[in-house]
Amino acid sequence: MKSGQVTSVGDDESRASVQMTAAMMVGGGALGATGVKSEQAGKSDNYDVGFVEELVNGVSQHYGETMIRARVAEYVNRFVRIAAAYEDSVLGSTSIGFPMQSFSETGVSTTMLGMGIPQGLGGSLGSGMVFVDDLTKAREMTSNASRIEGWRSTKSYEYWQQDFRNWLEARPVKGMDIQHQIGRLRYAKNMPDGEVELIMRSMHACVRTYDQIVELLSHLPPQHGGLIPITFGLFHTSRPIRETTVDLIDVIRTQPIGDKFVVNLNQFHRFAYIQILDTRKRLEAEKAAQQEQMTSQLHQQAQIAQQLYAAASVDSIPQGGSLRESRSTASHKSKRETLTQLFGHNGGTSNGVSTPSLSRAGSMHRNVSGPTAF
């Protein structure tokens, strides 16, 4: 009986400890069990409550430590980006993240210079936190305002400022906020075709080395679908976007870690990727065959021309004559044929109009010099 009472007390204390931890994480303060339940019921749509419930469910279902750590790191990263957006909106600037900027169809951002982006592709990529809509942005800003202000007065805030400055200098992918671009591909609705194409071309131009591929994949965790935000470009109505998406996936596959992400795609996306590759290879083979056929025809025509020229040269050489005499004879014959076509035959009349004789035309040719002579 005593042991049962001890067990009951232990269960109550454990339950209260879990509830207290959840209340502290969602910012509810030191609330009792009843207070926590009412707080969770009143804020069931709050992101923090959903995060805590997800952690509790993950632990109860014996998820690995790697998964739990990744989820916590994602939560912290999201809070920091919201704090950067809050500072940019309230204070006008931020030193802990990228400023809030939207995609612009006019002009080219200075941060994109030297990235290898085609000059004909205009526009400036956005940066900062990506919200689903303006209502969600306003709710997140309001609910986290007091927490952000409290964090700004701590030592960890200063440490993060230093780390962010160091990361900007040493990051593999420079020139754009790659997390913002992936967030746009994942959450945005009715994106302009120009923005999608610029995002794909920018990532294809910036992601080449192993470190750059790893940074890209770090924002595409398997628990959130992996490469799905990128592979949506395989089904776009614009052919350049589909082709650029295939090129980007080809670059990702150059590294073993990237090839694993591609292999883990669902069959629908893999089939679309393979189909576009097969179509590209078929078109390239047809183009190569056409070029080879044209080259062969030109070569045959050149051979025929050489044979005709050689035959004409042999026929124009008189018996016992020299090569110089044969060339003179051929030139005289060519001039005579040209004059005959222009002035008629032997000074006769054509349609009642008198024409000069060939001998007179020959004298005209000898007396005229310059570019107008025959």
Side-chain angles (χ1 to χ4, degrees), residues 142-162:
T142 304
S143 60
N144 289 282
S146 59
R147 188 183 305 174
I148 294 172
E149 291 292 344
W151 179 56
R152 294 181 70 246
S153 60
T154 62
K155 203 70 175 177
S156 64
Y157 178 83
E158 298 178 3
Y159 292 153
W160 182 266
Q161 284 181 319
Q162 298 175 3

Side-chain angles (χ1 to χ4, degrees), residues 38-49:
S38 62
E39 188 75 12
Q40 292 177 350
K43 295 184 178 181
S44 58
D45 59 340
N46 190 285
Y47 181 84
D48 296 335
V49 176

